[in-house]
Amino acid sequence: MAIPVPEPHAVTRNADLVARSLAAVWHPCTQMKVHERLPLVPIARASGAWLEDFEGHRFVDGVSSWWVNLFGHGHPRIAAAIAEQAAALEHAMLAGFTHEPVVALSERLSAIAPGNLGHAFYASDGASATEIALKMAFHHGANRGKAGKDRFVALEGGYHGETVGALSVTDVAIFRDAYAPLLRRNFRVPFPSSHAASRATGGAECAREAAGMLARLFESEGESIAALIVEPLVQGAGGMRMYDPEYLRLARALCDRHEILLIADEIMTGFGRTGTMFACEQAGIAPDLLCLSKGITGGFLPLSCVLSTDEVYASFWDDDTARGFLHSHSYTGNPIACRAALAVLDLFEEGDVIRANRGKAARFDLIAAPLADQPGVRNLRRLGMIWAFEVETDEPRFARLAFESALADGALLRPIGNTVYFMPPYVIDDEDFATLVKAGIGIAQRWGRR
Ligand SMILES: *Cc1c(COP(=O)(O)O)cnc(C)c1O
């Protein structure tokens, strides 16, 4: 039986698409039953910092569509690069074959990444990059006669993705607890700020204290540890928790001493989000493995990448097939996604974006300042192009109500627990940023404890 499905252009009202979506689509990160009451937001089109529904309601994208968008929606340069590449070579498998976009992207990523990360391995999303880094770290040890190094260390509150391996180094209860029996037990070490989700970074003293505890773990268990994985400078999904770069310097030295690899998960922090191209730069360190995704294509296409040092790469180089890294994904190194990423790197260079963002962020700080005086608002803080604050509240449904309230104010904000944050596309202007701040003030005034 043929089921009539309306043409896309036939959708003129939000309700039509919402009903079809709820019938046919299983949405991510959602208890679907909430949509009995909470309406889905159908998006018809997007441009710059704005999303628009089918009835002309517009929202400033205050979360860069889950942290992926850098230069705005529909950026013509990225769109053109994608169209051009699709017409020339849409895809070819990367085992036994290669192509210009993947070579050029690997060269350019290696050139801008900290340290000596000369070898790029590709996948399609962040969690896959985490899996690759974990497998590489273990296999690297095994290839060097240390197969006993089969456990990982991660920070309290860390988030590295939601596949089974990535979840085993993730410490966000709501994502992890239901699957705990499936997960390998790894080590969890204290977050380097005793203020947890509080004051900006906790300072160097907290960093030294936490590094002391890391040192003790490495001393007692180092022989069984393949790698330490961290989100450099700020934990994203854990609640925009920022910490002092001193921790990364100390962790780097400890990893070296104990032959433990350092994996920097810059899936969220990479591509300028923290004020430098990569967050590791602010600590003056380089990891052994660097995970990238999210902003890598400017939010256009799924692509992720793990950059590795020559030393890690060399341990796999052998006549024995089994010592090679045989991991793969069907779309590894997809040419269209790589071309989108190359266009993104062009935009960074041409616009001197990292520097321009510094000026912009300083202006936005002034616009955001009144937030600090709102009821319940605590720990207003910023790192690069991330602003965050907590709202003390008695409302248990705070995150959901705040999300709805922001939409009514023309802003897409998606609080994590009681943490409200702005992570806008870099192209956002003062007026649109002010819309985000206004929505934040509205939230605090409605639900902040007085
Ligand atoms: C989003 C994120 C991931 C997971 O990426 P997905 O593409 O959602 O699988 C991993 N690590 C960090 C730090 C992230 O922010």
Side-chain angles (χ1 to χ4, degrees), residues 427-444:
V427 294
I428 192 170
D429 63 19
D430 295 37
E431 191 186 333
D432 293 344
F433 188 80
T435 300
L436 299 180
V437 172
K438 218 169 133 226
I441 289 174
I443 289 167

Side-chain angles (χ1 to χ4, degrees), residues 67 125-128 130 159-162 231 236-237 265 267-268 293-294:
W67 319 347
D125 51 49
S128 304
T130 299
Y159 180 89
H160 301 287
E162 300 189 42
E231 293 160 272
D265 175 352
I267 290 166
M268 186 272 275
S293 188
K294 293 216 162 103

Side-chain angles (χ1 to χ4, degrees), residues 14 17-19 21-22 25 27 30 32 35 38-42 407:
N14 290 342
L17 196 66
V18 167
S21 196
L22 290 177
V25 181
H27 291 264
T30 301
M32 290 301 292
H35 287 305
L38 176 69
L40 270 174
V41 185
L407 285 179

Side-chain angles (χ1 to χ4, degrees), residues 66-68 124-130 158-163 166 170 229-232 234-237 265-269 291 293-294 302-304 423:
W66 255 354
W67 319 347
V68 298
S124 312
D125 51 49
S128 304
T130 299
Y159 180 89
H160 301 287
E162 300 189 42
T163 51
T170 286
I229 182 167
V230 296
E231 293 160 272
V234 52
Q235 293 184 325
D265 175 352
E266 296 231 19
I267 290 166
M268 186 272 275
T269 54
C291 301
S293 188
K294 293 216 162 103
L303 179 69
S304 66
M423 204 194 279

Side-chain angles (χ1 to χ4, degrees), residues 75-126:
H75 194 290
R77 285 280 296 280
I78 304 172
I82 288 172
E84 198 184 283
Q85 187 60 44
L89 169 65
E90 85 298 339
H91 188 66
M93 61 194 269
L94 203 63
F97 294 81
T98 194
H99 49 77
E100 170 69 19
V102 79
V103 173
L105 181 59
S106 304
E107 290 170 347
R108 286 180 71 180
L109 288 176
S110 172
I112 60 172
N116 190 19
L117 297 163
H119 308 272
F121 195 103
Y122 292 90
S124 312
D125 51 49

